[in-house]
Amino acid sequence: MISITLLFSASQIEPVSLTLERRVKTFERLLSAPISRNSMIFGESISGFLYSLVIALLPLAVGIFIFDTQIVNAPILVISMILTSFCFAMLGTLFAAYPTETAGEVMAILNTVRLPLIFISGIFIPISSMPQIGQKIALISPLTYGNDLIECAYTGNSLYSPLLDISMLVIFIIIFHLAANYMYKNFNE
């Protein structure tokens, strides 16, 4: 539940806020401000990151206080939530680069990525139970590594090592940031 919450809440803010900024013509001011494109992309991603962390506290609190869910490794849970949230906030910023003033257009494109991620990332079907092709496809999903790290925090068991999960989430963050930088440079100036 936490993985899905982080995926949707983190990647949702930027496509809405940036299309609204384009519509009211404040996005052009942001692009002309004396800040680097990297700083702008990072700053935009922070909103989705913070929003998703706050939203993800709800299922976390329900699990702990109502269902008495035990967390085996709290530091791993914190790290996994931070990295997963920032990864998907950066994904939302990447998709928000699409030059439109309508949030629905961006959300439709984004959902064609987010929805399949849920089914290939071990949330509903354990990756170890998937056919070989499914296991290989799962490797290209950042949600696979975030979900695996969260599973490790709750149970102490994970399919991949926590170090690999953390490394892959950082790699996806870098990839999404570089791609967003390219998109904003080529489609918005």
Side-chain angles (χ1 to χ4, degrees):
M1 182 60 100
I2 293 174
S3 300
I4 294 172
T5 302
L6 290 171
L7 168 66
F8 279 94
S9 60
S11 60
Q12 181 173 322
I13 295 300
E14 294 80 13
V16 173
S17 68
L18 285 174
T19 53
L20 180 62
E21 288 177 16
R22 283 187 187 100
R23 189 175 317 137
V24 296
K25 306 300 181 206
T26 57
F27 185 70
E28 289 78 16
R29 275 189 253 153
L30 183 62
L31 288 175
S32 65
I35 59 171
S36 70
R37 193 177 316 101
N38 284 324
S39 298
M40 183 202 69
I41 291 167
F42 183 78
E44 287 291 339
S45 297
I46 292 292
S47 62
F49 165 72
L50 294 174
Y51 176 76
S52 70
L53 284 180
V54 170
I55 296 299
L57 289 177
L58 181 64
L60 179 64
V62 167
I64 292 171
F65 297 115
I66 295 177
F67 296 108
D68 196 31
T69 305
Q70 299 299 310
I71 300 170
V72 173
N73 194 331
I76 289 289
L77 181 62
V78 171
I79 291 168
S80 66
M81 289 179 68
I82 288 170
L83 287 175
T84 303
S85 175
F86 196 69
C87 182
F88 290 116
M90 198 60 74
L91 178 71
T93 304
L94 169 62
F95 276 84
Y98 182 73
T100 183
E101 294 180 3
T102 308
E105 288 180 45
V106 178
M107 296 305 279
I109 297 167
L110 184 56
N111 280 336
T112 63
V113 172
R114 291 190 304 191
L115 293 174
L117 287 181
I118 294 171
F119 296 103
I120 66 167
S121 299
I123 291 176
F124 297 122
I125 301 168
I127 294 173
S128 58
S129 300
M130 291 181 184
Q132 283 293 327
I133 187 76
Q135 291 178 18
K136 289 185 184 340
I137 292 171
L139 294 174
I140 62 170
S141 167
L143 188 57
T144 297
Y145 304 103
N147 188 57
D148 191 51
L149 205 52
I150 291 170
E151 179 74 23
C152 180
Y154 274 98
T155 66
N157 299 320
S158 62
L159 184 61
Y160 310 113
S161 78
L163 186 58
L164 176 66
D165 291 333
I166 291 168
S167 300
M168 290 305 295
L169 285 170
V170 169
I171 288 169
F172 277 109
I173 290 168
I174 293 167
I175 289 169
F176 294 154
H177 181 78
L178 293 174
N181 200 347
Y182 175 81
M183 297 282 285
Y184 282 97
K185 179 182 179 185
N186 291 312
F187 295 126
N188 293 293
E189 291 184 351

